[in-house]
Amino acid sequence: MMAKGQGRVGWVAVLAFVLALPWSIAGAGLLPPFLVLLAIIAFPVDPRFWRPRAVSMSLVFAGLFLAWVGISFLWSPYDNPEQLPKTLIGIPLYVLLALRIGGLRGRWQVRTEASIIFLVIALGLFLLAESLTGGAMTRAYKVAAEGYDGLPEAHVMNYVNRGLGHATVPLLLLAGPAALIAYRAGGLVVGVAVMLLTAAAAISFGTEVNAVAFVSGGIAAVVTAFWPRRMIAGLFGLVAGGVMTVPVVLPGLIAAIPPALRDFLPLSWVWRLEIWTYVNELIREKPLFGYGLDASRPLNGEMELAGLQIERLPLHPHNASLQVWLETGLIGAVLLSCALIFLGGRIASAPRLSRDQAVAAAWVLVTYVCLVLFSYGAWQEWHQAAAALAATAVLFLGARKPAR
């Protein structure tokens, strides 16, 4: 007999991954409202779902962190509260959706896994075509529908590559779990195809951070295959330690970069170094409570770099650890680090953790951390939604029986 609510959640799961394709192609910006809607549709009405269980310290600290993020808006110099519901409501709903879909079993799990493979193959083929044609389809849409025809060609292509770089993120996050799902079902060729398409997308569109995330995620996945539980605990601990220490060690690391190497770096990376230096200076002024949610937006400045006038803090620090420190201070950093440590411990000690699941979890964690440490803002909901889809795929890879 099918478990109560499985049909409803099953349809939500299939729709989530099938319709994630057009939203991802469009740059992933529409993923968040779509997944929030599906989370509401899949909302558990069975009282057994809400039965009291053992207290999860990772959930407690995650809740405290989100609460502190919301409270910090009270002293933020940015007066637009738009980010509050996106973060405080959106993140819990993404987690709920992942747990609901990840709990599917039987034929609905098989259908959902097929939808995951469809998404990564179709998205990978689209991005391959765009890479080979110089973003022809995306460029045509932006010129015809978004009015970019009046801009210089270089500016148009900048927007095209940015959109395609964003579209690559869901593929990057899902690639590892999807390849393992295919491999476990006997589809080794499909799994290899997923990874090759992802590699091609990661090195395209001038988005270096995607290539860094792909290589780093691959290394973490390979090492985790040998020591699954220890690596999961270690990786989460490493990320938690990074959250706590980045503002302390980053200035010294930046200062230690030889001038010859700095001159060799792309301008975008040199710009990041200047952003991080400026943000570290701001953090030292308000280290305990931070400046408040979204304070990065008004805390800007200008400087000259390579003959160009650039912003010292364009929208966000392009480093999630620095953004957490800048906007929520030491208190926010401690709460987030504790949540990561307890979550890592819970995953590493889970009785149904399989080797494949540990490898997939390491892939998603390291890939996502690279993306938010070197490029995207901490609160950007589109990559949070993509990470929720990837986490869902990881849940399907658990062992069928508890470990002895």
Side-chain angles (χ1 to χ4, degrees), residues 106-194:
R107 65 175 181 266
W108 278 115
Q109 178 180 347
V110 174
R111 291 166 179 167
T112 305
E113 290 177 346
S115 302
I116 293 171
I117 301 301
F118 160 78
L119 170 60
V120 293
I121 292 292
L123 182 56
L125 289 173
F126 167 78
L127 291 170
L128 178 63
E130 288 292 81
S131 176
L132 295 174
T133 60
M137 287 182 280
T138 303
R139 184 190 181 282
Y141 177 81
K142 289 191 174 295
V143 169
E146 297 184 0
Y148 283 66
D149 52 320
L151 295 177
E153 182 64 17
H155 289 186
V156 174
M157 290 310 300
N158 181 51
Y159 286 113
V160 168
N161 286 328
R162 183 185 302 174
L164 291 171
H166 285 195
T168 303
V169 169
L171 177 62
L172 269 173
L173 292 169
L174 276 162
L180 287 166
I181 286 172
Y183 172 73
R184 194 175 65 170
L188 175 61
V189 174
V190 175
V192 172
V194 168

Side-chain angles (χ1 to χ4, degrees), residues 38-214:
L38 291 182
I40 293 172
I41 295 173
F43 197 85
V45 295
D46 188 347
R48 289 175 297 179
F49 185 88
W50 303 104
R51 285 183 305 183
R53 297 176 175 86
V55 176
S56 168
M57 294 306 297
S58 59
L59 188 61
V60 169
F61 279 109
L64 289 173
F65 172 68
L66 285 179
W68 180 252
V69 168
I71 292 170
S72 73
F73 184 75
L74 295 175
W75 56 84
S76 173
Y78 191 64
D79 58 4
N80 186 345
E82 178 183 3
Q83 194 60 50
L84 281 172
K86 290 180 179 179
T87 300
L88 303 187
I89 299 176
I91 290 178
L93 286 177
Y94 301 146
V95 173
L96 176 64
L97 182 65
L99 292 175
R100 291 287 279 166
I101 296 177
L104 290 171
R105 294 295 178 262
R107 65 175 181 266
W108 278 115
Q109 178 180 347
V110 174
R111 291 166 179 167
T112 305
E113 290 177 346
S115 302
I116 293 171
I117 301 301
F118 160 78
L119 170 60
V120 293
I121 292 292
L123 182 56
L125 289 173
F126 167 78
L127 291 170
L128 178 63
E130 288 292 81
S131 176
L132 295 174
T133 60
M137 287 182 280
T138 303
R139 184 190 181 282
Y141 177 81
K142 289 191 174 295
V143 169
E146 297 184 0
Y148 283 66
D149 52 320
L151 295 177
E153 182 64 17
H155 289 186
V156 174
M157 290 310 300
N158 181 51
Y159 286 113
V160 168
N161 286 328
R162 183 185 302 174
L164 291 171
H166 285 195
T168 303
V169 169
L171 177 62
L172 269 173
L173 292 169
L174 276 162
L180 287 166
I181 286 172
Y183 172 73
R184 194 175 65 170
L188 175 61
V189 174
V190 175
V192 172
V194 168
M195 299 310 295
L196 290 176
L197 288 171
T198 305
I203 62 175
S204 302
F205 317 121
T207 311
E208 295 93 349
V209 68
N210 288 343
V212 171
F214 179 84

Side-chain angles (χ1 to χ4, degrees), residues 10-21 23 34-35 38 41 115:
W11 278 109
V12 163
V14 172
L15 288 174
F17 287 100
V18 171
L19 293 183
L21 176 62
W23 306 146
F34 174 61
L35 293 191
L38 291 182
I41 295 173
S115 302

Side-chain angles (χ1 to χ4, degrees), residues 239-320:
V239 174
V243 170
M244 290 300 301
T245 61
V246 160
V248 178
V249 302
L250 193 58
L253 293 176
I254 293 175
I257 297 176
L261 176 58
R262 190 182 179 100
D263 294 339
F264 178 76
L265 293 173
L267 180 61
S268 61
W269 285 91
V270 178
W271 189 358
R272 276 176 174 76
L273 296 179
E274 295 296 342
I275 292 169
W276 296 343
T277 300
Y278 176 60
V279 171
N280 268 288
E281 295 170 1
L282 293 173
I283 289 172
R284 286 197 292 269
E285 296 176 7
K286 291 188 177 181
L288 184 59
F289 297 100
Y291 292 80
L293 178 66
D294 260 357
S296 300
R297 293 177 178 270
L299 293 175
N300 207 339
E302 286 192 354
M303 67 170 292
E304 185 175 306
L305 181 64
L308 301 172
Q309 285 296 122
I310 63 167
E311 295 179 280
R312 299 199 71 184
L313 183 50
L315 296 181
H316 56 80
H318 294 74
N319 181 296

Side-chain angles (χ1 to χ4, degrees), residues 306-363:
L308 301 172
Q309 285 296 122
I310 63 167
E311 295 179 280
R312 299 199 71 184
L313 183 50
L315 296 181
H316 56 80
H318 294 74
N319 181 296
S321 293
L322 290 180
Q323 188 167 0
V324 168
W325 271 91
L326 179 68
E327 299 183 8
T328 68
L330 174 63
I331 295 175
V334 168
L335 292 173
L336 178 57
S337 296
C338 289
L340 289 168
I341 290 171
F342 280 103
L343 178 59
R346 180 165 185 171
I347 295 173
S349 62
R352 293 184 185 271
L353 180 72
S354 66
R355 187 179 304 273
D356 287 348
Q357 191 174 44
V359 169
W363 170 279

